[in-house]
Amino acid sequence: MKIKNLIYSSLMSIIAFQGYAQKAKVAAADKEYDRYAYVDAIATYERVANKGYTDESMFQKLGNAYYFNAELEKAEKWYEKLFDMNQNQDPEYYYRYSQCLKSIGDYAKSDKMMTEFNHKSGNDLRAKLFKSNRNYLDEIKANSWRYTIENAGINSKFSDYGSSFSGNNLVFASARDTGGIAKKVFKWNNQSFTNLYRSEMKSDGSLGKPERFDNRINSKFHESTPVFTKDGKTMYFTRNNFLNGKKKGDSERVTLLKLYKSTLEKGVWSNVTELPFNSDQYSVAHPALSVDEKTLYFASDMPGTLGQSDLFKVKINDDGSYGTPENLGDKINTEGRETFPFISDHNELYYASDGHPGLGGLDIFVAQLSKDGSISESQNVGEPVNGKTDDFALLINGQSRTGFFTTNRSGGEGYDDIYRFTETKKLTCEQELAGVVTDLGDGKLLPMTQVILFDNNFKELQQVVSDEKAHYAFEVKCGETYYVRAIKADYITKEQSITIVRESGKTDLPIALEKAISKVTVGDDLAKSFKIEIIYFDLDKSFIRKDAAFELEKILDVMKQYPTMKIDVRSHTDSRQTHAYNEKLSDRRAKSTIAWLVKNGIAASRLTGRGYGETQLVNKCADGVKCTEAEHQANRRSEFIITSM
């Protein structure tokens, strides 16, 4: 056993020695070939900060570095120093600091930061008052006169309303030959009986003579507001509570409205069934299908309704069953009436309401449905579609932007009439937020960068990766504020805010990332790695100021990491003094810089330097040449050139 262990130990020693020797050769070859080092900016900043130096930008970067890596307790330390130094920060820093405070159990201070965040984000009392007292008539006016309208040419002296597309036919409800009319047909408990009719849509936009839709669908009670699947084989429609020759009423014996489904079998509409979420105690009416036909929208006064009638949606399962109806919420529904929904090919929800600010009666509104299920703020579509009377039941062809709506305005044929319209200008504001990700230092494109979009409350909305040309893009909403975060290995994560203009188009947001790790070699300037433009001295002085010491700490840290590195310190001035004066002043400053580094532990043998005065200007600004302050500033610079590694 001992012999076996000895052989094993010897063998492993030989392998280890050979491996070590090989690694040493590779390391030596790498050092000989590359002659460069990596400078970790974040690590340097932290070491400098731990020595007691303060800088607002440094604290932001340190806090962000830990925050973006979910090390919230560490981030809290630097955000605390940031706010101790300056309370006037952008809103996102209040939000981040609040989350970090929760990580250490300081909920009271976290709540305080969130209150300030809400204030800075525009949710203070003034913002609320402004929102609740906006001049809605001006907004409606801005949305108006985007349509040309005309009588559809199929109206009777009775009610005609609630149309739907079915192939090349327009299907609608009409009371033209079904008896007298007692009440307006859009009220769910009226006693005027309507049937479904259809009219051919001709190539010139006109409509053919109306004819009854199908006697197997039409009954002696109400039928109205159908919607058809794209293949034309399934129809949902509204009817009084009447099925198989039997009429039912609620507890007060009122016959309410229900939704029904029918399928087309060998050219015949059959299999009429009521939907399972109907009830004898409330009405369900006016169906609309989502673009993918997996969701059914409708109007109802079922339990959970906010007002007189609300819009709901329900999932249509693959097996033909249905989910649980969901109220669309207070972005759409009010204490008034919301009814007659329609979903366009562009996922626009059109509906009628008398609860939202309008021009009178029911007005037609539109909201954008997002893929994530959220709904945008509603907008009144304006005149001439809306007017002082009831306007409702709009449907639109997403491609041609033509469609129909119903109105009871004066000048028509009957109680309610169908009008045809053409939209000449889209109301929906469409914006793309896009840009290119580059290296802040050299402008090099940075493909494969992770770019994340957040809303104004820092809820993540979408992630993309920049393409081979370093380009990224998001679809965004007009008028909204977003935060865009870019993440790439070896670079400092960057996040910036952008507010999208309120007009269709494209918003450009270029992102320039700063290297967290810089590659340096002989001949490089360490000042450029840390963006040190100049080591500042008081006027005509050459001793090191506190802010200059902060910059020099970065150089000191790097030289301590690489004990064989040698630096040539070069100080430059602009031309706005005599040549001799500038040369002497810059030389004193270079020597003061070297003396500070030596005093803080760098061997004098590793440092050389001198002042060059105005002899190495980087632009035209020599004596007698008129230049801007920025141009003169470019010549006043400090350089720390690596002469040996």
Side-chain angles (χ1 to χ4, degrees), residues 414-445:
Y415 290 87
D416 295 300
D417 292 305
I418 297 172
Y419 277 67
R420 184 178 185 274
F421 71 84
T422 299
E423 186 182 62
T424 57
K425 179 183 177 182
K426 289 190 69 174
L427 173 65
T428 305
C429 184
E430 297 177 340
Q431 267 280 347
E432 180 184 67
L433 174 60
V436 174
V437 188
T438 59
D439 185 301
L440 179 63
D442 57 18
K444 182 179 68 175
L445 297 178

Side-chain angles (χ1 to χ4, degrees), residues 76 80 83-84 87 97-98 101-102 105-115:
E76 187 277 335
E80 181 182 31
F83 280 87
D84 286 345
Q87 289 278 330
Y97 190 23
S98 171
L101 287 164
K102 289 181 180 179
D106 194 346
Y107 292 99
K109 192 171 182 180
S110 174
D111 290 343
K112 182 180 178 181
M113 288 295 113
M114 278 303 296
T115 299

Side-chain angles (χ1 to χ4, degrees), residues 55-228:
D55 179 76
E56 186 173 349
S57 175
M58 177 176 69
F59 290 152
Q60 289 175 341
K61 290 178 179 178
L62 285 170
N64 291 343
Y66 287 117
Y67 181 85
F68 294 137
N69 285 310
E71 295 181 80
L72 301 187
E73 292 185 19
K74 292 181 179 179
E76 187 277 335
K77 169 185 174 181
W78 300 113
Y79 285 146
E80 181 182 31
K81 292 181 180 295
L82 173 65
F83 280 87
D84 286 345
M85 187 174 186
N86 183 6
Q87 289 278 330
N88 186 24
Q89 300 294 328
D90 289 336
E92 64 264 33
Y93 285 100
Y94 283 87
Y95 178 86
R96 295 175 197 164
Y97 190 23
S98 171
Q99 303 310 303
C100 294
L101 287 164
K102 289 181 180 179
S103 74
I104 62 171
D106 194 346
Y107 292 99
K109 192 171 182 180
S110 174
D111 290 343
K112 182 180 178 181
M113 288 295 113
M114 278 303 296
T115 299
E116 191 65 19
F117 166 70
N118 289 333
H119 172 75
K120 285 182 170 287
S121 296
N123 292 326
D124 60 5
L125 181 59
R126 291 168 297 173
K128 291 179 180 178
L129 288 173
F130 174 79
K131 183 176 181 179
S132 62
N133 290 282
R134 291 182 299 184
N135 191 337
Y136 68 91
L137 290 175
D138 285 345
E139 291 192 1
I140 294 173
K141 182 179 179 181
N143 293 342
S144 294
W145 310 112
R146 299 175 301 104
Y147 303 92
T148 60
I149 68 171
E150 59 181 337
N151 191 303
I154 54 172
N155 296 301
S156 68
K157 63 180 181 179
F158 301 103
S159 283
D160 302 283
Y161 73 101
S163 53
S164 177
F165 296 125
S166 176
N168 67 336
N169 288 307
L170 185 73
V171 182
F172 61 97
S174 178
R176 60 188 59 207
D177 57 2
T178 58
I181 297 177
K183 295 182 180 181
K184 292 182 180 179
V185 297
F186 58 82
K187 293 184 177 180
W188 297 344
N189 61 352
N190 64 67
Q191 298 301 309
S192 60
F193 302 131
T194 58
N195 283 164
L196 297 183
Y197 287 76
R198 63 183 168 197
S199 180
E200 181 184 2
M201 295 186 292
K202 299 180 180 180
S203 58
D204 62 359
S206 63
L207 294 170
K209 182 180 179 180
E211 57 183 35
R212 279 182 175 267
F213 177 70
D214 193 304
N215 287 332
R216 284 168 291 273
I217 298 298
N218 289 326
S219 70
K220 60 182 179 180
F221 294 102
H222 284 296
E223 281 80 33
S224 67
T225 53
V227 65
F228 299 84

Side-chain angles (χ1 to χ4, degrees), residues 92-378:
E92 64 264 33
Y93 285 100
Y94 283 87
Y95 178 86
R96 295 175 197 164
Y97 190 23
S98 171
Q99 303 310 303
C100 294
L101 287 164
K102 289 181 180 179
S103 74
I104 62 171
D106 194 346
Y107 292 99
K109 192 171 182 180
S110 174
D111 290 343
K112 182 180 178 181
M113 288 295 113
M114 278 303 296
T115 299
E116 191 65 19
F117 166 70
N118 289 333
H119 172 75
K120 285 182 170 287
S121 296
N123 292 326
D124 60 5
L125 181 59
R126 291 168 297 173
K128 291 179 180 178
L129 288 173
F130 174 79
K131 183 176 181 179
S132 62
N133 290 282
R134 291 182 299 184
N135 191 337
Y136 68 91
L137 290 175
D138 285 345
E139 291 192 1
I140 294 173
K141 182 179 179 181
N143 293 342
S144 294
W145 310 112
R146 299 175 301 104
Y147 303 92
T148 60
I149 68 171
E150 59 181 337
N151 191 303
I154 54 172
N155 296 301
S156 68
K157 63 180 181 179
F158 301 103
S159 283
D160 302 283
Y161 73 101
S163 53
S164 177
F165 296 125
S166 176
N168 67 336
N169 288 307
L170 185 73
V171 182
F172 61 97
S174 178
R176 60 188 59 207
D177 57 2
T178 58
I181 297 177
K183 295 182 180 181
K184 292 182 180 179
V185 297
F186 58 82
K187 293 184 177 180
W188 297 344
N189 61 352
N190 64 67
Q191 298 301 309
S192 60
F193 302 131
T194 58
N195 283 164
L196 297 183
Y197 287 76
R198 63 183 168 197
S199 180
E200 181 184 2
M201 295 186 292
K202 299 180 180 180
S203 58
D204 62 359
S206 63
L207 294 170
K209 182 180 179 180
E211 57 183 35
R212 279 182 175 267
F213 177 70
D214 193 304
N215 287 332
R216 284 168 291 273
I217 298 298
N218 289 326
S219 70
K220 60 182 179 180
F221 294 102
H222 284 296
E223 281 80 33
S224 67
T225 53
V227 65
F228 299 84
T229 55
K230 293 183 179 69
D231 62 9
K233 295 181 179 180
T234 301
M235 171 179 62
Y236 299 90
F237 64 99
T238 305
R239 177 192 278 175
N240 277 124
N241 190 352
F242 178 82
L243 184 63
N244 298 325
K246 295 182 180 180
K247 176 172 72 73
K248 295 182 180 180
D250 64 8
S251 57
E252 297 180 0
R253 303 181 68 181
V254 176
T255 302
L256 301 177
L257 300 176
K258 288 186 175 183
L259 289 183
Y260 296 83
K261 176 184 176 182
S262 179
T263 55
L264 189 64
E265 305 276 345
K266 298 180 179 179
V268 176
W269 288 103
S270 56
N271 303 320
V272 176
T273 57
E274 69 168 277
L275 301 190
F277 45 86
N278 287 326
S279 171
D280 294 340
Q281 303 306 315
Y282 54 79
S283 284
V284 183
H286 313 316
L289 281 168
S290 62
V291 176
D292 62 8
E293 300 183 348
K294 294 182 179 180
T295 303
L296 187 71
Y297 292 80
F298 58 90
S300 179
D301 60 348
M302 65 174 55
T305 300
L306 303 180
Q308 298 173 47
S309 67
D310 283 1
L311 298 189
F312 291 79
K313 66 178 181 180
V314 64
K315 183 179 179 182
I316 303 173
N317 298 317
D318 292 339
D319 62 0
S321 63
Y322 299 87
T324 302
E326 300 176 42
N327 190 295
L328 293 193
D330 58 10
K331 265 197 170 182
I332 297 296
N333 295 314
T334 69
E335 291 79 8
R337 293 176 297 163
E338 279 70 46
T339 185
F340 293 99
F342 173 79
I343 312 297
S344 76
D345 295 339
H346 298 294
N347 231 21
E348 301 157 311
L349 168 62
Y350 289 90
Y351 65 99
S353 171
D354 62 5
H356 292 271
L359 297 175
L362 288 169
D363 270 22
I364 296 169
F365 294 82
V366 62
Q368 186 68 46
L369 302 177
S370 299
K371 293 179 181 178
D372 62 3
S374 63
I375 306 175
S376 72
E377 295 291 336
S378 297

